[in-house]
């Protein structure tokens, strides 16, 4: 009996203990629920709201900055960004709305923008996971003016406008090789757009949702920082004259045409152009060069190759043999080092024989006896081979480097090409002879005209530059590009001698076609045979400047593979003259008054009439220069 009573007592005690444990657990659970509901409800609510914020693109938009404007030296626009709008559809939000809101949004889109109802409903059904579907891009404000406020105030569920900027080039093809363009990601491609992309691009802002003290989502903004403006050294008017002259002188059906104009006094690039060109507003468009059928059937590799050829700036990126436009540099080195004098004569019999090689002059019967100036006037290869021999390979190589023809110019544009030339050990007698008349080495057009500046500005080599200054949106200068003098290559006396000799080339020699009545112009013709020589393809050119007494502009024109029975610099001279006839008066350089030196004049601007220029020379008087 006692055992039974003890067992009953222990059982009751255990049950009471378990009951107290159960009650304690219930109380603890109630306390936890109470703490969750009362103490942590705000945190949970914020977490839910945060998920809503992060899952909705509407509250997490990147705000695109306005890309900086590109101006010419006089403040005329080359490239600018205009505010436009993308119409954004948000299926993820609209799908959660009631039928009335869905119908209102879809009916609005159908009636206002002519979207198909079936397309919108399919998008709503199949893209319900998406919060960002672009229905229309690059809408001008005028196109959405009537609906603008309603959309921006979220009247229509699942629909909003995003501000973006569209890059525009008001002049279409003008300066295309220099400017480059912008891709869909606001990244510069080629030219100034890429070189100065970090300055032009600006910094993105952000629109996002935050949870305020009232526990609801509030829009916040970090404003974007607009890009800086870039002011170029390019003069839009001169650029226009250059491009118009190219278009008006394509009768020889050349493969390419290249033109560079600089200020020889400080290295500023005033104009740079090439043919063929492309439309900066649609850089992938090939319809100007191929039919729709040809484009459709064109392999991707060929299309890409052709586009890269259009976008590539030959004037800074590619090299060529300068031909006879290099002869003034040889003359300058020889005069500076006193290896020749102006009265010394050289005899041309039509060719020179060196180590078993017969190297011809362009005039097979020879020029006879010529001075240095006469050799430049007639562009005699034989005379310059003799002058090169008098200089010797050491001095020749030294001046090639001093003139900057052995290195890049450091132009402030991407993609500058490297020259190719003989090193001192490889410059044997035959190589020295051919190099003395501009064959056997290659340079870029920009290297040539940059070095040419030192021949005509008193002997000083300047680093070329394209950017004049960079300013922020408040007009403050962020960066400026001043003239950078690299070194003095020749004396001012030698430079004056070369200027006068080059003036004589235009007055009495192979450059007669560029003569303009009343103007003192100097320059040098050039014809270079391209590699392989067996192809008999040529690049003809003219390198000149004006006015002779105080050069304000240097101009290089290259015509690549003109279709002609005989290669001649006539084609380049015609373009040069067309440019100068308009550019010189524009630069306030007027025809000289008899007895006065040419320079800036205060007299009224006279009209320059092409009919008054001396252009009655026959083709037989023009040097083929092979």
């Amino acid at each position: 009996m006692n055992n039974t009573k003890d067992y009953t007592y222990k059982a009751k005690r255990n049950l009471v203990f378990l009951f107290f444990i159960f009650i304690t657990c219930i109380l603890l659970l109630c306390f936890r629920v109470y703490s969750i509901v009362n103490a942590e409800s705000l945190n949970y609510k914020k977490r839910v709201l945060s998920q809503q914020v992060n899952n909705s693109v509407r509250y997490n938009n990147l705000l695109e900055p306005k890309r900086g404007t590109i101006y010419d030296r006089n403040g005329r626009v080359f490239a600018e960004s205009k505010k436009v709008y993308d119409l954004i559809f948000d299926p993820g939000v609209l799908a959660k709305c009631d039928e009335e809101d869905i119908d209102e949004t879809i009916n609005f889109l159908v009636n206002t923008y002519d979207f198909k109802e079936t397309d919108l409903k399919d998008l709503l059904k199949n893209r319900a996971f998406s919060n960002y579907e672009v229905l229309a891009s690059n809408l001008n404000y005028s196109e959405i003016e009537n609906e603008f406020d309603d959309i921006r105030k979220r009247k229509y569920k699942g629909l909003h406008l995003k501000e973006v900027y569209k890059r525009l080039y008001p002049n279409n093809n003008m300066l295309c090789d220099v400017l480059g363009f912008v891709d869909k990601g606001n990244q510069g491609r080629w030219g100034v757009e890429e070189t100065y992309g970090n300055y032009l691009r600006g910094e993105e802002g952000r629109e996002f949702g935050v949870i305020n003290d009232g526990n609801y989502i509030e829009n916040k903004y970090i404003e974007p920082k607009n890009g800086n403006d870039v002011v170029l050294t390019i003069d839009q008017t001169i650029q226009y004259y250059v491009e118009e002259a190219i278009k008006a002188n394509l009768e020889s059906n050349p493969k390419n045409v290249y033109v560079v104009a600089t200020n020889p006094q400080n290295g500023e690039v005033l104009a740079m152009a090439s043919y063929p060109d492309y439309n900066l507003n649609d850089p992938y468009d090939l319809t100007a060069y191929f039919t729709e059928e040809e484009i459709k059937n064109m392999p991707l590799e060929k299309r890409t190759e052709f586009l890269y050829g259009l976008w590539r700036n030959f004037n800074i990126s590619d090299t060529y043999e300068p031909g006879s436009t290099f002869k003034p540099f040889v003359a300058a080195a020889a005069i500076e080092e006193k290896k020749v004098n102006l009265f010394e004569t050289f005899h041309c019999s039509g060719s020179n024989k060196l180590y078993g090689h017969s190297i011809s002059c362009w005039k097979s019967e020879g020029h006879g006896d010529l001075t240095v100036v006469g050799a430049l006037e007639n562009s005699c290869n034989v005379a310059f081979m003799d002058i090169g021999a008098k200089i010797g390979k050491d001095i020749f190589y030294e001046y090639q480097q001093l003139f900057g023809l052995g290195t890049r110019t450091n132009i402030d544009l991407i993609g500058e090409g490297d020259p190719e030339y003989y090193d001192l050990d490889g410059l044997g007698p035959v190589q020295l002879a051919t190099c003395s008349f501009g064959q056997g080495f290659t340079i870029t057009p920009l290297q040539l005209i940059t070095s040419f500046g030192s021949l005509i500005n008193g002997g000083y080599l300047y680093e070329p530059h394209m950017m004049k200054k960079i300013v922020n949106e408040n007009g403050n200068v962020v960066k400026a590009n001043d003239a950078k003098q690299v070194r003095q290559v020749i004396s001012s006396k030698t430079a004056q001698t070369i200027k006068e000799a080059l003036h004589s080339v235009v007055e009495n020699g192979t450059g007669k076609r560029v003569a303009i009545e009343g103007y003192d112009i100097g320059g040098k013709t050039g014809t270079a045979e391209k590699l392989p020589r067996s192809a008999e393809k040529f690049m003809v050119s003219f390198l000149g400047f004006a006015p002779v007494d105080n050069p304000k502009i240097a101009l290089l024109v290259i015509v690549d593979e003109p279709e002609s029975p005989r290669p001649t610099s006539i084609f380049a001279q015609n373009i040069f003259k067309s440019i100068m006839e308009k550019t010189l008066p524009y630069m306030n350089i007027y025809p000289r008054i008899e007895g006065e030196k040419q320079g800036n004049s205060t007299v009224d601007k006279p009209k320059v009439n092409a009919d008054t220029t001396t252009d009655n020379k026959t083709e037989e008087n023009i040097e083929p220069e092979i």
Side-chain angles (χ1 to χ4, degrees):
M1 290 293 294
N2 290 335
N3 289 338
T4 302
K5 287 181 179 180
D6 290 340
Y7 176 79
T8 301
Y9 174 78
K10 288 180 180 179
K12 288 180 178 180
R13 188 180 62 184
N14 290 338
L15 286 172
V16 171
F17 179 74
L18 289 174
F19 175 76
F20 278 108
I21 290 177
F22 177 75
I23 294 298
T24 301
C25 290
I26 292 295
L27 291 174
L28 289 173
L29 181 60
C30 290
F31 178 79
R32 180 58 180 161
V33 170
Y34 174 82
S35 66
I36 290 175
V37 171
N38 291 280
E40 298 186 19
S41 61
L42 180 60
N43 291 335
Y44 278 102
K45 187 174 183 179
K46 287 183 177 181
R47 289 182 191 179
V48 172
L49 288 172
S50 297
Q51 289 177 352
Q52 293 175 359
V53 168
N54 293 329
N55 290 334
S56 177
V57 177
R58 293 176 304 162
Y59 296 105
N60 197 23
N61 280 337
L62 293 177
L63 301 178
E64 184 178 336
K66 182 181 181 183
R67 192 176 181 87
T69 301
I70 302 175
Y71 296 98
D72 89 326
R73 64 188 302 116
N74 299 309
R76 288 168 289 196
V77 174
F78 275 126
E80 60 184 342
S81 292
K82 295 288 189 181
K83 183 183 289 186
V84 292
Y85 299 88
D86 288 348
L87 183 62
I88 309 300
F89 187 50
D90 190 339
V93 167
L94 191 59
K96 297 180 176 65
C97 295
D98 56 38
E99 288 296 326
E100 184 179 348
D101 289 333
I102 293 174
D103 290 341
E104 185 179 18
T105 298
I106 290 179
N107 289 336
F108 168 74
L109 292 171
V110 170
N111 296 329
T112 307
Y113 296 104
D114 294 328
F115 291 112
K116 292 183 179 180
E117 182 177 350
T118 53
D119 292 342
L120 294 171
K121 288 187 174 180
D122 287 343
L123 194 62
L124 184 63
K125 178 181 178 181
N126 299 324
R127 302 286 294 176
F129 58 87
S130 171
N131 293 108
Y132 196 91
E133 300 293 328
V134 181
L135 294 182
S137 300
N138 297 327
L139 297 171
N140 294 319
Y141 178 76
S142 58
E143 298 177 85
I144 56 175
E145 183 175 3
N146 295 331
E147 305 84 31
F148 185 83
D149 288 338
D150 287 341
I151 299 176
R152 291 302 293 264
K153 292 177 180 178
R154 316 289 190 188
K155 176 180 178 181
Y156 303 102
K157 300 295 190 295
L159 200 64
H160 66 281
L161 292 168
K162 180 180 180 182
E163 292 181 359
V164 294
Y165 288 93
K166 182 179 181 181
R167 197 62 164 170
L168 298 173
Y169 302 90
N171 303 300
N172 295 318
N173 296 43
M174 181 180 282
L175 200 66
C176 57
D177 285 350
V178 171
L179 292 175
F181 53 91
V182 174
D183 64 17
K184 293 181 180 179
N186 197 30
Q187 298 296 316
R189 293 288 178 255
W190 307 82
V192 174
E193 292 281 24
E194 183 169 351
T195 304
Y196 289 101
N198 289 337
Y199 289 97
L200 289 163
R201 188 182 305 116
E203 298 177 8
E204 291 177 330
R206 185 177 292 274
E207 175 189 7
F208 56 97
V210 297
I211 303 166
N212 66 12
D213 293 338
N215 297 326
Y216 63 88
I217 298 172
E218 180 182 1
N219 283 354
K220 292 290 184 180
Y221 298 88
I222 297 176
E223 293 295 334
K225 182 180 179 181
N226 293 333
N228 298 303
D229 298 332
V230 174
V231 180
L232 303 180
T233 60
I234 297 290
D235 189 305
Q236 192 176 103
T237 299
I238 298 176
Q239 182 71 26
Y240 174 78
Y241 291 152
V242 165
E243 296 190 17
E244 287 300 297
I246 292 174
K247 294 174 186 175
N249 290 276
L250 296 175
E251 69 279 358
S252 65
N253 194 28
K255 180 179 178 182
N256 301 285
V257 179
Y258 311 107
V259 179
V260 185
T262 65
N263 181 344
Q265 305 296 342
N266 57 20
E268 291 183 344
V269 180
L270 301 177
M272 185 178 287
S274 67
Y275 166 85
D277 55 17
Y278 65 96
N279 189 337
L280 290 163
N281 292 302
D282 193 1
Y284 294 89
D285 180 31
L286 297 178
T287 55
Y289 306 103
F290 302 98
T291 65
E292 293 289 350
E293 187 67 22
E294 287 174 330
I295 295 173
K296 181 180 178 181
N297 297 322
M298 186 181 296
L300 179 61
E301 183 178 348
K302 182 180 178 181
R303 180 197 294 260
T304 302
E305 181 182 355
F306 188 85
L307 285 171
Y308 275 27
L310 282 179
W311 301 338
R312 187 179 179 88
N313 188 345
F314 180 93
N315 284 307
I316 69 166
S317 297
D318 293 89
T319 60
Y320 78 114
E321 290 182 328
S324 294
T325 54
F326 180 68
K327 290 172 181 174
F329 297 91
V330 179
I335 293 169
E336 182 73 12
E337 294 296 319
K338 297 180 172 56
K339 296 299 182 180
V340 299
N341 62 66
L342 294 180
F343 305 103
E344 188 172 351
T345 59
F346 301 87
H347 182 76
C348 172
S349 60
S351 65
N352 262 1
K353 294 188 183 298
L354 288 171
Y355 295 89
H357 297 274
S358 180
I359 307 175
S360 300
C361 185
W362 67 267
K363 190 174 183 179
S364 58
E365 65 272 26
H367 290 100
D369 292 335
L370 296 169
T371 63
V372 175
V373 175
L376 281 170
E377 289 176 348
N378 292 278
S379 198
C380 178
N381 289 352
V382 171
F384 273 93
M385 283 189 274
D386 292 341
I387 294 171
K390 278 183 169 288
I391 292 174
K393 72 173 187 177
D394 291 321
I395 292 176
F396 181 93
Y397 180 82
E398 178 186 357
Y399 273 86
Q400 195 175 37
Q401 305 307 307
L402 285 173
F403 280 119
L405 297 172
T407 58
R408 295 180 179 182
T409 66
N410 290 325
I411 180 73
D412 54 332
L413 282 180
I414 63 166
E416 183 172 11
D418 290 307
E420 297 180 359
Y421 56 92
Y422 293 108
D423 60 21
L424 194 57
D425 293 335
L427 199 59
V430 174
Q431 290 77 20
L432 178 60
T434 57
C435 286
S436 295
F437 57 85
Q439 213 166 264
F441 66 97
T442 63
I443 55 178
T444 67
L446 182 67
Q447 284 173 318
L448 179 63
I449 197 169
T450 297
S451 302
F452 185 64
S454 67
L455 290 182
I456 61 176
N457 68 8
Y460 299 95
L461 181 67
Y462 285 91
E463 187 173 280
H465 56 282
M466 190 69 66
M467 180 270 289
K468 194 171 184 68
K469 61 182 178 179
I470 298 174
V471 297
N472 62 23
E473 58 185 332
N474 297 318
N476 299 319
V477 176
V478 175
K479 184 177 183 180
N481 225 352
D482 299 321
K484 182 179 180 181
Q485 187 185 114
V486 181
R487 57 182 164 268
Q488 184 171 10
V489 184
I490 56 176
S491 66
S492 58
K493 182 179 179 181
T494 299
Q496 183 64 28
T497 300
I498 295 300
K499 282 199 303 179
E500 292 172 356
L502 293 175
H503 184 210
S504 188
V505 170
V506 174
E507 294 293 307
N508 308 304
T510 58
K512 290 180 180 179
R513 279 185 174 267
V514 305
I516 303 173
E517 186 175 356
Y519 286 96
D520 294 326
I521 297 174
K524 183 69 190 75
T525 53
T527 302
E529 191 174 10
K530 297 174 70 174
L531 294 172
R533 310 293 185 202
S534 58
E536 296 186 348
K537 301 290 186 181
F538 298 87
M539 297 182 79
V540 299
S541 58
F542 191 84
L543 176 61
F545 65 100
V548 170
D549 66 297
N550 184 22
K552 298 295 179 63
I553 181 172
L555 181 63
L556 171 62
V557 179
I558 302 170
V559 180
D560 184 13
E561 296 186 19
E563 293 180 359
S564 175
R566 59 184 291 195
T568 171
S569 63
I570 289 175
F571 305 115
Q573 290 190 59
N574 288 343
I575 296 174
F576 181 97
K577 182 177 180 179
S578 295
I579 296 169
M580 284 297 200
E581 283 178 328
K582 295 181 179 180
T583 299
L584 293 177
Y586 167 74
M587 295 180 70
N588 296 323
I589 303 169
Y590 310 126
R592 66 179 177 277
I593 299 173
E594 193 64 32
E596 291 186 0
K597 285 187 176 182
Q598 189 167 60
N600 290 357
S601 173
T602 57
V603 299
D604 293 335
K605 284 188 180 182
K607 290 184 178 180
V608 178
N609 191 331
D611 295 334
T612 66
T613 60
T614 57
D615 194 21
N616 57 357
K617 314 299 184 295
T618 62
E619 186 170 337
E620 285 69 28
N621 294 327
I622 307 301
E623 149 210 23
E625 292 181 44
I626 301 176

